[in-house]
Amino acid sequence: MSETPKTTRRKPTKAEQRAEMTEQILDAAEELFSRHGLYGVTLKDVANKVGVHHTLLNYYFDDKKHLFDQVFARRAAVTSERRMTALNAYESEAGDNVTVEGALRAFLDTDLDLYIEGGEGWRNYAALSAQVANTPEWGASMMDQHFDPVVLRLIGLLQKALPDCSEEDLFWGYHFVTGGLMLTLARTGRIDKLSGGKCRSDDFVAVKERMASFMAAGFENICRKRS
């Protein structure tokens, strides 16, 4: 009988090993930062979670803030690109019939889908985003860097849907939208207690069903009253 030839598994290259380790570090740091914030986590905490010596992290990242920035940037690029694609596709499809709710659904639902379908990693990022958005010392500049273009794209579509609405009211409306979204992403559990369990702070499907419609009514009402 002839022997079945053994298949030799290819040894990962150094670049592949580095990329894999980088992802492990980012995943571990993301989970820890989402729970304890930038100042509540040390590089040693991250190393312990990964299972490596803490000096190894200095080989991959200059310091803790550099690691934090990379954790945030990794998924920020994905959500920003997805939203921009969705907003462009919606305008192309709607033409001159852009609606407030349609624009908001392209912006909000596209993002919520990531937290519904993307697993705990994306939900950790959601909580981290809520922290960053509510940290004026350095969080605002991070949000500016990663999200200003897509936010201004949304404002442009809202102007198209509400041509008689002032820019001031549109920006206030966005302010209220992002406030509601960030509270949702934080998953504080407060609504669970207040509602006696009827609502769950991690039920992003329920949020997706309601948020765009609710916010659209707010835009339309304030713009109608003030015009």
Side-chain angles (χ1 to χ4, degrees), residues 67-221:
L67 172 59
F68 187 92
D69 291 346
Q70 292 302 305
V71 166
F72 188 77
R74 177 177 61 158
R75 297 196 201 270
V78 176
T79 180
S80 186
E81 182 179 349
R82 279 173 57 102
R83 281 168 155 174
M84 188 69 82
T85 299
L87 289 168
N88 290 338
Y90 173 67
E91 183 178 36
S92 178
E93 178 184 339
D96 294 330
N97 299 312
V98 170
T99 67
V100 177
E101 183 170 345
L104 288 174
R105 287 207 173 276
F107 183 82
L108 293 170
D109 292 5
T110 304
D111 202 45
L112 290 166
D113 281 341
L114 286 170
Y115 312 123
I116 292 169
E117 303 164 4
E120 196 59 24
W122 270 101
R123 293 188 173 213
N124 288 336
Y125 172 76
L128 184 63
S129 295
Q131 289 183 27
V132 171
N134 287 284
T135 306
E137 291 83 1
W138 43 262
S141 62
M142 291 181 71
M143 300 299 284
D144 294 346
Q145 175 187 350
H146 292 287
F147 297 118
D148 274 8
V150 72
V151 170
L152 294 175
R153 184 74 177 93
L154 170 64
I155 295 294
L157 285 182
L158 294 173
Q159 286 175 319
K160 193 171 182 179
L162 297 168
D164 297 327
C165 192
S166 71
E167 283 195 346
E168 179 186 2
D169 286 332
L170 290 176
F171 278 103
W172 274 122
Y174 169 74
H175 182 73
F176 303 145
V177 168
T178 196
L181 178 61
M182 289 304 135
L183 179 59
T184 296
L185 299 186
R187 291 187 293 164
T188 64
R190 179 161 165 73
I191 194 172
D192 310 50
K193 296 175 184 177
L194 287 171
S195 68
K198 295 181 179 67
C199 305
R200 301 194 326 276
S201 60
D202 63 352
D203 189 353
F204 290 117
V205 173
V207 173
K208 180 181 173 181
E209 290 173 355
R210 295 164 173 82
M211 182 173 278
S213 299
F214 181 87
M215 296 299 183
F219 271 102
E220 291 164 357
N221 190 46

